[in-house]
Amino acid sequence: AQTVTQSQPEMSVQEAETVTLSCTYDTSENNYYLFWYKQPPSRQMILVIRQEAYKQQNATENRFSVNFQKAAKSFSLKISDSQLGDTAMYFCAFLLIQGAQKLVFGQGTRLTINP
Amino acid sequence: ETGVTQSPTHLIKTRGQQVTLRCSSQSGHNTVSWYQQALGQGPQFIFQYYREEENGRGNFPPRFSGLQFPNYSSELNVNALELDDSALYLCASSLAPGQHNEQFFGPGTRLTVL
């Protein structure tokens, strides 16, 4: 079974700072995807960034980037130049390519950006 | 392009009752997944429907059941409600399993069981 662990229940930084959220996962499979989702107080889960396990290059999306270490089963999210609108719960999630496309989520990290 | 919609937004039930939650998938998507998110937790996979058939199930009892209709919308039914069923229920739609695996989430239905 796959598991996802986020070891930081809460984090808080000042606006414009850089913050890194940690995520580790456990799987014996080789073909999978990893995601970071953002869930603001409005509750809607929004995809922030995705990484295919077969790609060595780390994914980037504007101010968001990941550090994907496949051997270490680590998948951290870096937010640069943080903005007030980044305040949300952030979930790391794992998806196997075969079988039912079920996302396995971590417990989440509550990120607060302070003005 | 219409996103994923869910109804109702909020619902209050009492123990032992039955509830039906509804989800309309994003245009072009034929796969719907349901997740339960307890307060302060990450979402847990309940089941997935693809072309009106169940395509995988998480560790939820049989009183959690679902349907998918020819237009790919979906229902989640929960019988004999328990207090622990209080949660946010999220629906996500996607393309067929194996294709561009991004799941798009709806805003959720907040269920409270008293």
Side-chain angles (χ1 to χ4, degrees):
Chain A
Q2 290 72 38
T3 59
V4 176
T5 303
Q6 293 178 248
S7 58
Q8 305 151 311
E10 294 190 33
M11 295 190 73
S12 178
V13 298
Q14 296 299 119
E15 193 175 7
E17 289 184 344
T18 294
V19 60
T20 299
L21 309 184
S22 301
C23 172
T24 58
Y25 60 95
D26 189 25
T27 184
S28 57
E29 302 291 335
N30 212 30
N31 295 318
Y32 52 88
Y33 290 84
L34 292 163
F35 302 87
W36 278 97
Y37 280 90
K38 166 185 176 180
Q39 188 176 40
S42 66
R43 309 182 322 203
Q44 188 134 14
M45 199 76 77
I46 302 164
L47 179 66
V48 174
I49 198 165
R50 60 182 274 163
Q51 174 81 43
E52 290 88 345
Y54 64 86
K55 289 187 178 178
Q56 292 189 342
Q57 186 173 6
N58 289 325
T60 62
E61 286 287 341
N62 301 313
R63 299 183 294 108
F64 299 88
S65 62
V66 298
N67 183 3
F68 174 47
Q69 302 289 325
K70 190 172 184 179
K73 296 179 182 174
S74 169
F75 183 61
S76 61
L77 173 70
K78 185 170 83 171
I79 306 174
S80 303
D81 185 26
S82 56
Q83 300 174 359
L84 297 179
D86 295 333
T87 293
M89 284 291 291
Y90 284 80
F91 291 96
C92 177
F94 173 100
L95 180 76
L96 269 180
I97 291 178
Q98 283 88 21
Q101 307 283 280
K102 70 170 187 177
L103 285 163
V104 177
F105 287 86
Q107 296 287 81
T109 296
R110 182 177 302 281
L111 175 65
T112 302
I113 310 299
N114 298 307
Chain B
E1 184 178 90
T2 306
V4 180
T5 60
Q6 292 187 243
S7 63
T9 306
H10 297 89
L11 204 50
I12 299 175
K13 292 284 188 178
T14 56
R15 270 188 307 175
Q17 285 189 313
Q18 178 266 342
V19 69
T20 298
L21 310 182
R22 295 179 175 83
C23 170
S24 291
S25 60
Q26 183 166 309
S27 177
H29 288 179
N30 55 17
T31 303
V32 172
S33 305
W34 285 92
Y35 295 83
Q36 180 195 65
Q37 186 178 16
L39 198 60
Q41 305 290 318
Q44 300 284 320
F45 176 75
I46 303 175
F47 42 55
Q48 180 181 86
Y49 279 84
Y50 169 56
R51 289 187 175 179
E52 302 178 58
E53 297 286 331
E54 189 178 284
N55 185 46
R57 189 179 182 91
N59 293 326
F60 281 81
R63 59 190 186 83
F64 286 78
S65 62
L67 280 174
Q68 187 178 32
F69 300 99
N71 66 354
Y72 305 125
S73 66
S74 178
E75 286 183 355
L76 164 64
N77 299 290
V78 187
N79 293 321
L81 283 167
E82 301 177 0
L83 296 179
D84 285 348
D85 296 334
S86 294
L88 180 67
Y89 288 85
L90 297 169
C91 163
S93 77
S94 55
L95 295 172
Q99 298 182 26
H100 198 287
N101 297 282
E102 181 177 346
Q103 296 187 14
F104 293 80
F105 284 83
T109 293
R110 172 75 67 191
L111 172 65
T112 302
V113 182
L114 303 175

